[in-house]
Amino acid sequence: QLTLVDSGGGSVQPGGSLRLSCSAITSTVPGSRVCMAWFRQVPGRQREGVAAIGTTGYTNYATAVRGRFRASKDDANISLSLQMNDLKPEDTGTYYCAADLTCRGAWVESRSWTFWGQGTQVFVSS
Protein backbone atom coordinates (compact mmCIF):
# COMPACT_ATOMS: atom_id res chain seq x y z
CA GLN A 1 0.00 0.00 0.00
CA LEU A 2 1.07 3.52 -0.75
CA THR A 3 -0.07 6.87 0.56
CA LEU A 4 0.78 9.77 -1.73
CA VAL A 5 1.18 13.35 -0.59
CA ASP A 6 1.51 15.96 -3.31
CA SER A 7 2.35 19.63 -2.91
CA GLY A 8 3.84 22.67 -4.60
CA GLY A 9 0.95 24.19 -6.46
CA GLY A 10 0.23 27.90 -6.57
CA SER A 11 -0.55 30.88 -8.74
CA VAL A 12 1.81 32.12 -11.41
CA GLN A 13 1.75 34.39 -14.44
CA PRO A 14 2.08 32.97 -17.95
CA GLY A 15 5.68 32.13 -18.69
CA GLY A 16 6.41 31.44 -15.04
CA SER A 17 7.51 28.24 -13.34
CA LEU A 18 6.35 25.96 -10.57
CA ARG A 19 7.67 22.75 -9.10
CA LEU A 20 5.35 20.05 -7.82
CA SER A 21 6.42 17.34 -5.42
CA CYS A 22 4.97 14.00 -4.44
CA SER A 23 6.10 11.73 -1.65
CA ALA A 24 4.99 8.14 -1.27
CA ILE A 25 4.63 6.77 2.22
CA THR A 26 4.99 3.03 2.52
CA SER A 27 6.55 0.57 4.87
CA THR A 28 6.89 -2.37 2.51
CA VAL A 29 7.36 -1.38 -1.11
CA PRO A 30 10.78 -0.59 -2.59
CA GLY A 31 10.91 2.48 -4.80
CA SER A 32 12.27 0.51 -7.72
CA ARG A 33 8.94 -1.29 -8.01
CA VAL A 34 6.84 1.84 -8.16
CA CYS A 35 5.90 3.65 -11.32
CA MET A 36 4.59 7.16 -10.82
CA ALA A 37 2.80 9.81 -12.78
CA TRP A 38 1.26 13.25 -12.76
CA PHE A 39 -2.27 13.88 -13.94
CA ARG A 40 -4.27 17.07 -14.06
CA GLN A 41 -7.93 17.88 -14.14
CA VAL A 42 -10.13 20.88 -14.70
CA PRO A 43 -13.82 21.00 -13.75
CA GLY A 44 -16.02 19.32 -16.31
CA ARG A 45 -13.20 17.44 -17.99
CA GLN A 46 -11.59 14.06 -17.54
CA ARG A 47 -8.36 13.68 -15.67
CA GLU A 48 -5.51 13.73 -18.18
CA GLY A 49 -2.03 12.30 -17.99
CA VAL A 50 0.79 14.82 -17.90
CA ALA A 51 3.90 12.71 -17.37
CA ALA A 52 4.79 9.24 -16.13
CA ILE A 53 7.97 7.45 -15.12
CA GLY A 54 8.17 3.68 -15.21
CA THR A 55 10.31 1.33 -13.20
CA THR A 56 13.06 1.51 -15.83
CA GLY A 57 13.18 5.28 -15.57
CA TYR A 58 11.66 5.83 -18.98
CA THR A 59 9.54 8.98 -18.98
CA ASN A 60 6.48 9.73 -21.04
CA TYR A 61 5.06 13.20 -21.54
CA ALA A 62 1.81 14.49 -22.90
CA THR A 63 2.29 16.34 -26.15
CA ALA A 64 0.96 19.57 -24.63
CA VAL A 65 3.75 19.72 -22.02
CA ARG A 66 6.71 18.12 -23.78
CA GLY A 67 9.69 20.46 -23.75
CA ARG A 68 8.24 22.59 -20.96
CA PHE A 69 7.73 20.12 -18.12
CA ARG A 70 10.27 17.73 -16.67
CA ALA A 71 9.42 14.84 -14.34
CA SER A 72 11.95 13.15 -12.12
CA LYS A 73 11.67 10.19 -9.75
CA ASP A 74 13.75 9.31 -6.74
CA ASP A 75 13.54 5.59 -6.02
CA ALA A 76 15.37 5.81 -2.72
CA ASN A 77 12.83 8.22 -1.29
CA ILE A 78 9.92 7.10 -3.48
CA SER A 79 9.21 10.62 -4.59
CA LEU A 80 8.25 12.29 -7.81
CA SER A 81 8.65 15.88 -8.87
CA LEU A 82 7.40 17.91 -11.82
CA GLN A 83 9.29 21.00 -12.89
CA MET A 84 6.91 23.12 -14.92
CA ASN A 85 8.38 25.92 -17.02
CA ASP A 86 6.85 28.38 -19.47
CA LEU A 87 3.45 27.83 -17.91
CA LYS A 88 0.38 28.69 -19.93
CA PRO A 89 -3.19 29.45 -18.85
CA GLU A 90 -4.26 26.08 -20.25
CA ASP A 91 -1.98 24.41 -17.68
CA THR A 92 -4.37 25.56 -14.96
CA GLY A 93 -5.95 22.72 -13.03
CA THR A 94 -5.65 20.39 -10.10
CA TYR A 95 -2.56 18.22 -10.39
CA TYR A 96 -2.57 14.74 -8.92
CA CYS A 97 0.27 12.38 -8.23
CA ALA A 98 -0.43 8.74 -9.08
CA ALA A 99 1.40 5.48 -8.48
CA ASP A 100 1.06 1.83 -9.30
CA LEU A 101 2.90 -1.40 -8.61
CA THR A 102 1.85 -3.43 -11.63
CA CYS A 103 2.79 -0.66 -14.10
CA ARG A 104 0.58 -2.04 -16.84
CA GLY A 105 -1.93 -0.40 -19.10
CA ALA A 106 -1.77 2.87 -20.94
CA TRP A 107 -0.09 5.47 -18.77
CA VAL A 108 -2.44 8.21 -19.90
CA GLU A 109 -5.45 6.31 -18.60
CA SER A 110 -6.33 7.17 -15.02
CA ARG A 111 -7.69 3.64 -14.55
CA SER A 112 -4.14 2.31 -14.98
CA TRP A 113 -3.17 3.86 -11.63
CA THR A 114 -4.13 2.55 -8.21
CA PHE A 115 -2.86 5.13 -5.72
CA TRP A 116 -3.59 8.86 -5.83
CA GLY A 117 -2.51 11.96 -4.00
CA GLN A 118 -5.00 14.51 -2.74
CA GLY A 119 -4.22 17.02 -5.50
CA THR A 120 -2.58 20.41 -5.60
CA GLN A 121 -3.91 23.47 -7.42
CA VAL A 122 -2.06 25.24 -10.22
CA PHE A 123 -3.41 28.55 -11.50
CA VAL A 124 -1.83 30.34 -14.43
CA SER A 125 -3.19 33.76 -15.21
CA SER A 126 -2.06 37.28 -15.89
Side-chain angles (χ1 to χ4, degrees):
Q1 291 290 328
L2 294 174
T3 299
L4 303 179
V5 179
D6 39 34
S7 62
S11 296
V12 65
Q13 292 185 340
S17 298
L18 284 173
R19 184 178 179 86
L20 305 183
S21 297
C22 172
S23 295
I25 302 171
T26 176
S27 61
T28 60
V29 180
S32 59
R33 284 191 53 203
V34 182
C35 48
M36 301 182 78
W38 287 102
F39 279 73
R40 66 186 181 189
Q41 189 171 25
V42 296
R45 297 182 62 181
Q46 288 188 335
R47 198 169 290 190
E48 64 174 357
V50 174
I53 302 181
T55 55
T56 63
Y58 186 82
T59 307
N60 285 289
Y61 293 97
T63 300
V65 307
R66 191 174 292 124
R68 300 188 296 122
F69 290 11
R70 179 176 175 84
S72 58
K73 179 172 170 278
D74 181 344
D75 285 346
N77 295 305
I78 316 182
S79 62
L80 180 72
S81 63
L82 184 69
Q83 178 65 42
M84 305 186 295
N85 299 322
D86 189 23
L87 282 160
K88 303 177 180 180
E90 52 264 41
D91 294 319
T92 293
T94 302
Y95 283 68
Y96 297 91
C97 176
D100 198 81
L101 302 180
T102 62
C103 305
R104 296 172 183 169
W107 75 269
V108 295
E109 298 285 345
S110 58
R111 62 186 176 186
S112 298
W113 302 87
T114 303
F115 305 99
W116 293 88
Q118 79 282 7
T120 184
Q121 299 273 355
V122 172
F123 186 70
V124 184
S125 175
S126 55

Coordinates of all heavy atoms in Angstrom, one line a residue, residues 37-122:
A37 N 3.3 8.9 -11.7 CA 2.8 9.8 -12.8 C 2.2 11.1 -12.2 O 1.8 11.1 -11.0 CB 1.8 9.1 -13.7
W38 N 2.0 12.0 -13.1 CA 1.3 13.2 -12.8 C 0.1 13.3 -13.7 O 0.2 13.1 -14.9 CB 2.1 14.5 -12.9 CG 3.1 14.7 -11.8 CD1 4.5 14.5 -11.9 CD2 2.9 15.2 -10.5 NE1 5.1 14.8 -10.7 CE2 4.1 15.2 -9.8 CE3 1.7 15.6 -9.9 CZ2 4.2 15.7 -8.5 CZ3 1.9 16.1 -8.5 CH2 3.1 16.1 -7.9
F39 N -1.1 13.6 -13.2 CA -2.3 13.9 -13.9 C -2.8 15.3 -13.6 O -2.4 15.8 -12.5 CB -3.4 12.9 -13.6 CG -3.2 11.5 -14.3 CD1 -2.2 10.6 -14.0 CD2 -4.1 11.2 -15.4 CE1 -2.1 9.4 -14.6 CE2 -3.9 10.0 -16.0 CZ -2.9 9.1 -15.7
R40 N -3.6 15.8 -14.4 CA -4.3 17.1 -14.1 C -5.7 17.0 -14.5 O -6.1 16.3 -15.4 CB -3.5 18.3 -14.7 CG -3.6 18.3 -16.2 CD -2.7 19.4 -16.7 NE -2.7 19.5 -18.2 CZ -1.9 20.3 -18.9 NH1 -1.0 21.1 -18.3 NH2 -2.0 20.4 -20.2
Q41 N -6.5 17.9 -13.9 CA -7.9 17.9 -14.1 C -8.5 19.3 -13.9 O -8.1 20.0 -13.0 CB -8.7 16.9 -13.2 CG -10.1 16.7 -13.6 CD -10.7 15.5 -12.8 OE1 -10.3 15.2 -11.7 NE2 -11.7 14.9 -13.3
V42 N -9.4 19.6 -14.8 CA -10.1 20.9 -14.7 C -11.6 20.5 -14.6 O -12.0 19.5 -15.1 CB -9.9 21.9 -15.9 CG1 -8.5 22.3 -15.9 CG2 -10.3 21.2 -17.2
P43 N -12.4 21.3 -13.9 CA -13.8 21.0 -13.8 C -14.5 20.7 -15.1 O -14.3 21.5 -16.1 CB -14.4 22.2 -13.1 CG -13.2 22.8 -12.3 CD -12.0 22.6 -13.2
G44 N -15.3 19.7 -15.1 CA -16.0 19.3 -16.3 C -15.3 18.5 -17.3 O -15.8 18.1 -18.4
R45 N -14.0 18.2 -17.1 CA -13.2 17.4 -18.0 C -12.6 16.2 -17.3 O -12.4 16.2 -16.1 CB -12.1 18.3 -18.6 CG -12.6 19.5 -19.4 CD -11.6 20.3 -20.1 NE -10.8 19.5 -21.0 CZ -9.7 20.0 -21.7 NH1 -9.4 21.2 -21.5 NH2 -9.0 19.2 -22.5
Q46 N -12.2 15.3 -18.1 CA -11.6 14.1 -17.5 C -10.2 14.4 -17.1 O -9.5 15.3 -17.6 CB -11.6 12.9 -18.6 CG -12.9 12.3 -18.9 CD -12.8 11.1 -19.8 OE1 -11.9 11.0 -20.5 NE2 -13.8 10.2 -19.7
R47 N -9.7 13.6 -16.1 CA -8.4 13.7 -15.7 C -7.4 13.2 -16.8 O -7.7 12.2 -17.4 CB -8.2 12.8 -14.4 CG -7.0 13.1 -13.6 CD -7.1 12.3 -12.3 NE -8.1 12.9 -11.4 CZ -8.3 12.5 -10.1 NH1 -7.4 11.7 -9.6 NH2 -9.2 13.0 -9.4
E48 N -6.4 14.0 -17.1 CA -5.5 13.7 -18.2 C -4.1 13.5 -17.7 O -3.6 14.2 -16.8 CB -5.5 14.8 -19.2 CG -5.0 16.2 -18.8 CD -5.0 17.2 -19.9 OE1 -5.2 16.8 -21.1 OE2 -4.6 18.4 -19.6
G49 N -3.4 12.6 -18.3 CA -2.0 12.3 -18.0 C -1.1 13.4 -18.5 O -1.2 13.9 -19.6
V50 N -0.2 13.8 -17.6 CA 0.8 14.8 -17.9 C 2.2 14.2 -18.2 O 2.8 14.5 -19.2 CB 0.9 15.9 -16.8 CG1 2.0 16.9 -17.0 CG2 -0.5 16.5 -16.6
A51 N 2.6 13.4 -17.2 CA 3.9 12.7 -17.4 C 3.9 11.5 -16.5 O 3.2 11.4 -15.5 CB 5.0 13.6 -17.0
A52 N 4.7 10.5 -16.9 CA 4.8 9.2 -16.1 C 6.2 8.7 -16.2 O 6.8 8.8 -17.3 CB 3.8 8.2 -16.6
I53 N 6.7 8.1 -15.1 CA 8.0 7.4 -15.1 C 7.8 6.0 -14.7 O 7.2 5.7 -13.6 CB 8.9 8.2 -14.2 CG1 9.1 9.6 -14.6 CG2 10.3 7.5 -14.2 CD1 10.1 10.4 -13.7
G54 N 8.3 5.1 -15.5 CA 8.2 3.7 -15.2 C 9.3 3.2 -14.3 O 10.2 4.0 -13.9
T55 N 9.3 1.9 -14.1 CA 10.3 1.3 -13.2 C 11.7 1.3 -13.8 O 12.7 1.2 -13.1 CB 9.9 -0.1 -12.8 OG1 9.7 -0.9 -14.0 CG2 8.7 -0.1 -11.9
T56 N 11.8 1.5 -15.1 CA 13.1 1.5 -15.8 C 13.6 2.9 -15.9 O 14.7 3.1 -16.3 CB 13.0 1.0 -17.3 OG1 12.1 1.8 -18.0 CG2 12.4 -0.4 -17.3
G57 N 12.8 3.9 -15.5 CA 13.2 5.3 -15.6 C 12.7 6.0 -16.8 O 12.9 7.2 -17.0
Y58 N 12.1 5.2 -17.7 CA 11.7 5.8 -19.0 C 10.5 6.8 -18.7 O 9.6 6.4 -17.9 CB 11.2 4.8 -20.0 CG 10.8 5.3 -21.3 CD1 11.8 5.6 -22.3 CD2 9.5 5.6 -21.7 CE1 11.5 6.1 -23.5 CE2 9.2 6.1 -22.9 CZ 10.2 6.4 -23.8 OH 9.9 6.9 -25.0
T59 N 10.5 7.9 -19.3 CA 9.5 9.0 -19.0 C 8.7 9.3 -20.2 O 9.2 9.5 -21.3 CB 10.2 10.3 -18.5 OG1 11.1 10.0 -17.4 CG2 9.2 11.3 -18.0
N60 N 7.4 9.3 -20.0 CA 6.5 9.7 -21.0 C 5.9 11.1 -20.7 O 5.7 11.4 -19.5 CB 5.3 8.7 -21.1 CG 5.7 7.4 -21.8 OD1 6.0 7.4 -23.0 ND2 5.8 6.4 -21.1
Y61 N 5.7 11.9 -21.7 CA 5.1 13.2 -21.5 C 3.9 13.4 -22.5 O 3.9 12.9 -23.6 CB 6.1 14.3 -21.8 CG 7.2 14.4 -20.9 CD1 8.4 13.8 -21.1 CD2 7.1 15.1 -19.7 CE1 9.5 13.9 -20.3 CE2 8.1 15.2 -18.8 CZ 9.3 14.6 -19.1 OH 10.4 14.7 -18.2
A62 N 2.9 14.1 -22.0 CA 1.8 14.5 -22.9 C 2.4 15.5 -23.9 O 3.2 16.3 -23.6 CB 0.7 15.1 -22.1
T63 N 1.8 15.5 -25.1 CA 2.3 16.3 -26.1 C 2.2 17.8 -25.7 O 3.1 18.6 -26.0 CB 1.5 16.1 -27.4 OG1 1.6 14.8 -27.8 CG2 1.9 17.0 -28.5
A64 N 1.2 18.2 -25.0 CA 1.0 19.6 -24.6 C 2.0 20.1 -23.7 O 2.2 21.3 -23.6 CB -0.4 19.7 -24.0
V65 N 2.8 19.2 -23.0 CA 3.7 19.7 -22.0 C 5.2 19.4 -22.4 O 6.1 19.8 -21.7 CB 3.4 19.2 -20.6 CG1 2.0 19.5 -20.2 CG2 3.7 17.7 -20.5
R66 N 5.4 18.6 -23.4 CA 6.7 18.1 -23.8 C 7.6 19.3 -24.1 O 7.2 20.2 -24.9 CB 6.6 17.2 -25.0 CG 8.0 16.4 -25.2 CD 7.8 15.4 -26.3 NE 6.9 14.3 -25.9 CZ 5.8 13.9 -26.5 NH1 5.4 14.5 -27.6 NH2 5.1 12.9 -26.0
G67 N 8.8 19.3 -23.5 CA 9.7 20.5 -23.8 C 9.5 21.6 -22.7 O 10.4 22.4 -22.6
R68 N 8.4 21.6 -22.0 CA 8.2 22.6 -21.0 C 8.3 22.0 -19.5 O 8.7 22.7 -18.6 CB 6.9 23.3 -21.2 CG 6.8 24.0 -22.5 CD 5.5 24.8 -22.5 NE 4.3 24.0 -22.5 CZ 3.3 24.1 -21.5 NH1 3.5 25.0 -20.6 NH2 2.3 23.3 -21.5
F69 N 7.8 20.8 -19.4 CA 7.7 20.1 -18.1 C 8.8 19.0 -18.1 O 9.1 18.4 -19.1 CB 6.4 19.5 -17.9 CG 5.2 20.4 -17.7 CD1 5.4 21.8 -17.9 CD2 4.0 19.9 -17.3 CE1 4.3 22.6 -17.8 CE2 2.9 20.8 -17.1 CZ 3.1 22.1 -17.3
R70 N 9.3 18.8 -16.9 CA 10.3 17.7 -16.7 C 9.9 17.0 -15.4 O 9.9 17.6 -14.3 CB 11.7 18.3 -16.6 CG 12.7 17.2 -16.4 CD 14.1 17.7 -16.4 NE 15.2 16.7 -16.1 CZ 15.7 15.9 -16.9 NH1 15.3 15.9 -18.2 NH2 16.6 15.0 -16.5
A71 N 9.7 15.7 -15.5 CA 9.4 14.8 -14.3 C 10.7 14.1 -13.9 O 11.5 13.7 -14.8 CB 8.3 13.8 -14.7
S72 N 10.8 13.9 -12.6 CA 11.9 13.1 -12.1 C 11.5 12.3 -10.9 O 10.6 12.8 -10.1 CB 13.1 14.1 -11.8 OG 12.7 15.0 -10.8
K73 N 12.1 11.1 -10.8 CA 11.7 10.2 -9.7 C 12.9 9.8 -8.9 O 13.9 9.5 -9.5 CB 11.0 9.0 -10.4 CG 10.5 7.9 -9.5 CD 9.7 6.9 -10.3 CE 9.4 5.6 -9.6 NZ 10.5 4.7 -9.5
D74 N 12.7 9.7 -7.7 CA 13.7 9.3 -6.7 C 13.3 8.0 -6.1 O 12.4 8.0 -5.3 CB 14.0 10.4 -5.7 CG 15.1 10.1 -4.7 OD1 15.5 8.9 -4.6 OD2 15.5 11.0 -4.0
D75 N 13.9 6.9 -6.5 CA 13.5 5.6 -6.0 C 13.9 5.4 -4.5 O 13.1 4.8 -3.8 CB 14.2 4.5 -6.8 CG 13.6 4.3 -8.2 OD1 12.5 4.8 -8.4 OD2 14.2 3.6 -9.0
A76 N 15.0 6.0 -4.1 CA 15.4 5.8 -2.7 C 14.4 6.4 -1.8 O 14.1 5.8 -0.7 CB 16.7 6.4 -2.5
N77 N 13.8 7.6 -2.2 CA 12.8 8.2 -1.3 C 11.4 8.1 -1.8 O 10.5 8.6 -1.2 CB 13.1 9.7 -1.2 CG 14.5 10.0 -0.5 OD1 14.7 9.5 0.6 ND2 15.4 10.7 -1.2
I78 N 11.2 7.3 -2.8 CA 9.9 7.1 -3.5 C 9.2 8.4 -3.6 O 8.1 8.7 -3.0 CB 9.1 6.1 -2.7 CG1 9.9 4.9 -2.3 CG2 7.9 5.6 -3.6 CD1 9.1 3.8 -1.6
S79 N 9.8 9.3 -4.4 CA 9.2 10.6 -4.6 C 9.3 11.0 -6.1 O 10.0 10.4 -6.8 CB 10.0 11.7 -3.8 OG 11.3 11.8 -4.2
L80 N 8.4 11.9 -6.4 CA 8.2 12.3 -7.8 C 8.1 13.8 -7.8 O 7.4 14.4 -7.0 CB 7.0 11.7 -8.4 CG 6.7 12.0 -9.9 CD1 7.7 11.3 -10.8 CD2 5.3 11.6 -10.2
S81 N 8.8 14.4 -8.7 CA 8.6 15.9 -8.9 C 8.3 16.2 -10.3 O 8.5 15.4 -11.2 CB 9.9 16.6 -8.5 OG 11.0 16.2 -9.3
L82 N 7.8 17.4 -10.5 CA 7.4 17.9 -11.8 C 7.8 19.4 -11.9 O 7.2 20.2 -11.2 CB 5.9 17.8 -12.1 CG 5.5 18.2 -13.5 CD1 6.0 17.1 -14.5 CD2 3.9 18.2 -13.6
Q83 N 8.9 19.6 -12.7 CA 9.3 21.0 -12.9 C 8.5 21.5 -14.1 O 8.6 21.0 -15.2 CB 10.8 21.0 -13.2 CG 11.3 22.4 -13.5 CD 11.2 23.4 -12.3 OE1 11.4 23.0 -11.2 NE2 10.8 24.6 -12.6
M84 N 7.8 22.6 -13.9 CA 6.9 23.1 -14.9 C 7.4 24.5 -15.3 O 7.4 25.4 -14.5 CB 5.5 23.2 -14.4 CG 4.9 21.9 -14.0 SD 3.2 21.9 -13.6 CE 3.2 23.0 -12.2
N85 N 7.9 24.6 -16.5 CA 8.4 25.9 -17.0 C 7.5 26.5 -18.1 O 6.7 25.7 -18.7 CB 9.8 25.7 -17.5 CG 10.8 25.3 -16.5 OD1 10.7 25.7 -15.3 ND2 11.7 24.4 -16.8
D86 N 7.6 27.7 -18.4 CA 6.8 28.4 -19.5 C 5.4 28.0 -19.3 O 4.7 27.6 -20.3 CB 7.4 28.0 -20.8 CG 6.8 28.7 -22.0 OD1 6.3 29.9 -21.7 OD2 6.8 28.2 -23.1
L87 N 4.8 28.2 -18.2 CA 3.5 27.8 -17.9 C 2.5 28.7 -18.7 O 2.7 29.9 -19.0 CB 3.2 27.9 -16.4 CG 3.7 26.8 -15.6 CD1 3.8 27.1 -14.1 CD2 2.8 25.6 -15.8
K88 N 1.4 28.0 -19.1 CA 0.4 28.7 -19.9 C -1.0 28.6 -19.2 O -1.2 27.7 -18.4 CB 0.3 28.0 -21.3 CG 1.6 27.9 -22.1 CD 1.4 27.2 -23.4 CE 2.7 27.2 -24.1 NZ 2.6 26.4 -25.4
P89 N -1.9 29.5 -19.5 CA -3.2 29.5 -18.9 C -3.9 28.1 -19.0 O -4.5 27.7 -18.0 CB -4.0 30.5 -19.6 CG -2.9 31.5 -20.0 CD -1.8 30.7 -20.4
E90 N -3.6 27.4 -20.1 CA -4.3 26.1 -20.2 C -3.6 25.0 -19.4 O -4.1 23.9 -19.3 CB -4.2 25.6 -21.7 CG -2.8 25.7 -22.4 CD -2.6 27.0 -23.1 OE1 -3.0 28.1 -22.6 OE2 -2.0 26.9 -24.2
D91 N -2.6 25.3 -18.6 CA -2.0 24.4 -17.7 C -2.7 24.5 -16.3 O -2.4 23.7 -15.4 CB -0.5 24.7 -17.5 CG 0.3 24.5 -18.7 OD1 0.1 23.5 -19.4 OD2 1.2 25.3 -19.0
T92 N -3.6 25.4 -16.2 CA -4.4 25.6 -15.0 C -5.2 24.3 -14.7 O -5.8 23.7 -15.6 CB -5.3 26.8 -15.1 OG1 -4.5 28.0 -15.1 CG2 -6.3 26.8 -13.9
G93 N -5.2 23.9 -13.4 CA -6.0 22.7 -13.0 C -5.5 22.2 -11.7 O -4.6 22.7 -11.1
T94 N -6.1 21.1 -11.3 CA -5.7 20.4 -10.1 C -4.7 19.3 -10.6 O -5.1 18.4 -11.4 CB -6.8 19.8 -9.3 OG1 -7.7 20.9 -8.9 CG2 -6.4 19.1 -8.1
Y95 N -3.6 19.2 -10.0 CA -2.6 18.2 -10.4 C -2.5 17.1 -9.3 O -2.5 17.4 -8.1 CB -1.2 18.9 -10.5 CG -1.1 19.6 -11.8 CD1 -1.8 20.8 -12.0 CD2 -0.2 19.2 -12.9 CE1 -1.7 21.5 -13.2 CE2 -0.1 19.9 -14.1 CZ -0.8 21.0 -14.2 OH -0.7 21.7 -15.4
Y96 N -2.6 15.9 -9.8 CA -2.6 14.7 -8.9 C -1.4 13.8 -9.2 O -1.1 13.6 -10.4 CB -3.8 13.9 -9.1 CG -5.1 14.6 -8.8 CD1 -5.8 15.3 -9.8 CD2 -5.7 14.5 -7.5 CE1 -7.0 16.0 -9.5 CE2 -6.9 15.1 -7.2 CZ -7.5 15.9 -8.2 OH -8.7 16.5 -7.9
C97 N -0.8 13.4 -8.1 CA 0.3 12.4 -8.2 C -0.4 11.0 -8.2 O -1.4 10.8 -7.5 CB 1.2 12.5 -7.0 SG 2.5 11.3 -6.9
A98 N 0.1 10.1 -9.0 CA -0.4 8.7 -9.1 C 0.7 7.7 -9.0 O 1.8 8.0 -9.4 CB -1.2 8.5 -10.3
A99 N 0.4 6.5 -8.5 CA 1.4 5.5 -8.5 C 0.8 4.1 -8.7 O -0.4 4.0 -8.4 CB 2.1 5.5 -7.1
D100 N 1.6 3.2 -9.1 CA 1.1 1.8 -9.3 C 2.2 0.9 -9.1 O 3.4 1.2 -9.4 CB 0.4 1.7 -10.7 CG -0.5 0.5 -10.7 OD1 -1.6 0.6 -10.3 OD2 -0.1 -0.6 -11.2
L101 N 1.9 -0.4 -8.8 CA 2.9 -1.4 -8.6 C 2.9 -2.4 -9.7 O 3.9 -3.1 -9.9 CB 2.7 -2.1 -7.3 CG 2.7 -1.2 -6.0 CD1 2.4 -2.1 -4.8 CD2 4.0 -0.5 -5.9
T102 N 1.8 -2.5 -10.5 CA 1.9 -3.4 -11.6 C 2.4 -2.8 -12.9 O 3.0 -3.4 -13.7 CB 0.4 -3.9 -11.9 OG1 -0.4 -2.8 -12.3 CG2 -0.2 -4.6 -10.7
C103 N 2.2 -1.4 -13.0 CA 2.8 -0.7 -14.1 C 2.4 -1.2 -15.5 O 3.2 -1.4 -16.4 CB 4.3 -0.6 -14.0 SG 4.8 0.1 -12.4
R104 N 1.1 -1.5 -15.6 CA 0.6 -2.0 -16.8 C -0.5 -1.1 -17.3 O -1.0 -0.2 -16.6 CB 0.0 -3.4 -16.6 CG 1.0 -4.5 -16.3 CD 0.4 -5.8 -15.9 NE 1.4 -6.8 -15.4 CZ 1.0 -7.9 -14.9 NH1 -0.2 -8.2 -14.7 NH2 2.0 -8.8 -14.5
G105 N -0.9 -1.3 -18.6 CA -1.9 -0.4 -19.1 C -1.4 0.9 -19.6 O -0.2 1.2 -19.4
A106 N -2.2 1.6 -20.3 CA -1.8 2.9 -20.9 C -1.6 3.9 -19.8 O -2.4 4.1 -19.0 CB -2.8 3.3 -21.9
W107 N -0.4 4.6 -19.9 CA -0.1 5.5 -18.8 C -1.0 6.7 -18.7 O -1.2 7.3 -17.7 CB 1.4 5.9 -18.9 CG 1.7 6.9 -19.9 CD1 2.0 6.7 -21.2 CD2 1.6 8.4 -19.8 NE1 2.2 7.9 -21.9 CE2 1.9 8.9 -21.1 CE3 1.3 9.2 -18.8 CZ2 2.0 10.3 -21.3 CZ3 1.3 10.6 -19.0 CH2 1.7 11.1 -20.3
V108 N -1.6 7.0 -19.9 CA -2.4 8.2 -19.9 C -3.8 7.9 -19.3 O -4.6 8.9 -19.2 CB -2.6 8.8 -21.3 CG1 -1.2 9.3 -21.8 CG2 -3.1 7.7 -22.3
E109 N -4.1 6.7 -19.1 CA -5.4 6.3 -18.6 C -5.4 6.3 -17.1 O -4.6 5.6 -16.5 CB -5.8 4.9 -19.1 CG -6.0 4.8 -20.6 CD -7.3 5.4 -21.1 OE1 -8.2 5.7 -20.3 OE2 -7.3 5.7 -22.3
S110 N -6.3 7.1 -16.5 CA -6.3 7.2 -15.0 C -6.6 5.8 -14.4 O -6.2 5.5 -13.3 CB -7.3 8.2 -14.6 OG -8.6 7.9 -15.0
R111 N -7.4 5.0 -15.1 CA -7.7 3.6 -14.5 C -6.5 2.7 -14.4 O -6.5 1.7 -13.8 CB -8.8 3.0 -15.4 CG -8.3 2.7 -16.8 CD -9.5 2.2 -17.7 NE -9.1 2.0 -19.1 CZ -9.9 1.7 -20.0 NH1 -11.2 1.4 -19.7 NH2 -9.5 1.5 -21.3
S112 N -5.4 3.1 -15.1 CA -4.1 2.3 -15.0 C -3.4 2.5 -13.7 O -2.4 1.8 -13.4 CB -3.2 2.7 -16.1 OG -3.8 2.4 -17.4
W113 N -3.9 3.5 -12.8 CA -3.2 3.9 -11.6 C -4.0 3.6 -10.4 O -5.2 3.9 -10.4 CB -2.8 5.3 -11.7 CG -1.9 5.6 -12.9 CD1 -2.4 5.9 -14.2 CD2 -0.5 5.5 -13.0 NE1 -1.3 6.0 -15.0 CE2 -0.2 5.8 -14.3 CE3 0.5 5.3 -12.1 CZ2 1.2 5.8 -14.8 CZ3 1.8 5.3 -12.5 CH2 2.1 5.6 -13.8
T114 N -3.4 3.0 -9.4 CA -4.1 2.5 -8.2 C -4.1 3.6 -7.1 O -5.1 3.8 -6.4 CB -3.5 1.2 -7.7 OG1 -3.5 0.3 -8.7 CG2 -4.2 0.7 -6.5
F115 N -3.0 4.2 -6.9 CA -2.9 5.1 -5.7 C -2.8 6.6 -6.2 O -2.2 6.9 -7.2 CB -1.6 4.8 -4.9 CG -1.5 3.4 -4.5 CD1 -0.8 2.4 -5.3 CD2 -2.2 2.9 -3.4 CE1 -0.7 1.1 -4.9 CE2 -2.2 1.6 -3.0 CZ -1.4 0.7 -3.8
W116 N -3.5 7.5 -5.4 CA -3.6 8.9 -5.8 C -3.3 9.8 -4.7 O -3.7 9.5 -3.5 CB -5.0 9.1 -6.4 CG -5.3 8.5 -7.7 CD1 -5.8 7.2 -7.8 CD2 -5.0 9.0 -9.0 NE1 -5.9 6.9 -9.2 CE2 -5.4 8.0 -9.9 CE3 -4.5 10.2 -9.5 CZ2 -5.4 8.1 -11.3 CZ3 -4.4 10.3 -10.8 CH2 -4.8 9.3 -11.7
G117 N -2.7 10.9 -5.0 CA -2.5 12.0 -4.0 C -3.8 12.8 -3.9 O -4.8 12.5 -4.6
Q118 N -3.8 13.7 -3.0 CA -5.0 14.5 -2.7 C -5.2 15.7 -3.7 O -6.2 16.3 -3.8 CB -5.0 15.1 -1.3 CG -4.1 16.3 -1.1 CD -2.6 16.0 -1.0 OE1 -2.2 14.9 -1.2 NE2 -1.8 17.0 -0.7
G119 N -4.1 16.0 -4.5 CA -4.2 17.0 -5.5 C -3.7 18.3 -5.0 O -3.8 18.7 -3.8
T120 N -3.1 19.1 -5.9 CA -2.6 20.4 -5.6 C -2.9 21.3 -6.8 O -2.9 21.0 -7.9 CB -1.1 20.4 -5.4 OG1 -0.6 21.7 -5.0 CG2 -0.3 19.9 -6.6
Q121 N -3.4 22.6 -6.4 CA -3.9 23.5 -7.4 C -2.8 24.3 -8.1 O -1.9 24.8 -7.5 CB -4.9 24.5 -6.7 CG -6.1 23.8 -6.1 CD -7.2 23.6 -7.0 OE1 -7.2 24.0 -8.2 NE2 -8.3 22.9 -6.6
V122 N -2.9 24.4 -9.4 CA -2.1 25.2 -10.2 C -2.9 26.2 -11.0 O -3.9 25.8 -11.7 CB -1.2 24.4 -11.2 CG1 -0.5 25.3 -12.2 CG2 -0.3 23.5 -10.4

